[in-house]
Amino acid sequence: MRIVTAFAAALVLVAVPALAPALAKAPAAITVSHPWIAAPPGGAPTAAGYATIVNTGAAPDTFLGARTPDADKLELHTMSMTGGIMRMRPVSGGVAIAAGQSLTLLPNGRYHFMVVRPKHPLKVGDKVAAVLTFARAGTIKTTFVVEPAGAMTMN
């Protein structure tokens, strides 16, 4: 009996360290690059934000939403032109991002973030903390930087 107990104990000592990497949480397969907000005119109730969200993983993921303590809402919006009229609407149900693909939010692009009712005036150089939520990767913290509205570039 002592031999069996000693063997079991030795097996546990060998197996647990070998399993540790598999038990550790896998790093998020989503990266967010150059999150920025175009500085709105003073007193504006909204501002537009942009970024590139890349799914570096081997499986698809879905962007579900975002939040910030610096505004009432941080929404993903879609923009379209119909009959010469620009229409912006919140996206419901999320946006799928295939493995190895990206979701690019650009000025005059299909998608952008809408910062709704900022809690303080947004000035060039300000930083806005945010949390983005994904179906697979979970939550990812990022920081948007307020840049001049005329910059309209993605670095």
Side-chain angles (χ1 to χ4, degrees):
M1 185 68 163
R2 284 185 178 195
I3 293 174
V4 172
T5 304
F7 179 73
L11 185 60
V12 167
L13 289 174
V14 170
V16 170
L19 290 175
L23 297 174
K25 186 178 178 188
I30 297 290
T31 60
V32 181
S33 62
H34 192 208
W36 66 285
I37 295 170
T46 60
Y50 310 98
T52 297
I53 301 169
V54 181
N55 180 354
T56 60
D61 206 339
T62 302
F63 173 74
L64 299 173
R67 66 184 187 279
T68 177
D70 296 315
D72 286 353
K73 294 180 188 176
L74 180 60
E75 300 176 329
L76 180 66
H77 277 210
T78 185
M79 196 261 313
S80 63
M81 293 293 284
T82 306
I85 299 171
M86 180 188 298
R87 298 184 192 282
M88 291 184 279
R89 301 281 185 261
V91 173
S92 62
V95 175
I97 308 172
Q101 298 297 308
S102 61
L103 172 63
T104 304
L105 294 82
L106 291 168
N108 300 315
R110 180 173 179 195
Y111 296 107
H112 62 276
F113 286 107
M114 185 61 68
V115 183
V116 181
R117 290 182 296 282
K119 295 188 177 176
H120 54 81
L122 297 175
K123 301 180 303 299
V124 172
D126 285 351
K127 294 185 172 152
V128 175
V131 176
L132 309 184
T133 303
F134 298 85
R136 196 178 265 291
T139 58
I140 297 176
K141 294 179 181 179
T142 193
T143 302
F144 288 80
V145 176
V146 180
E147 297 185 5
M152 301 290 181
T153 62
M154 291 295 293
N155 295 333

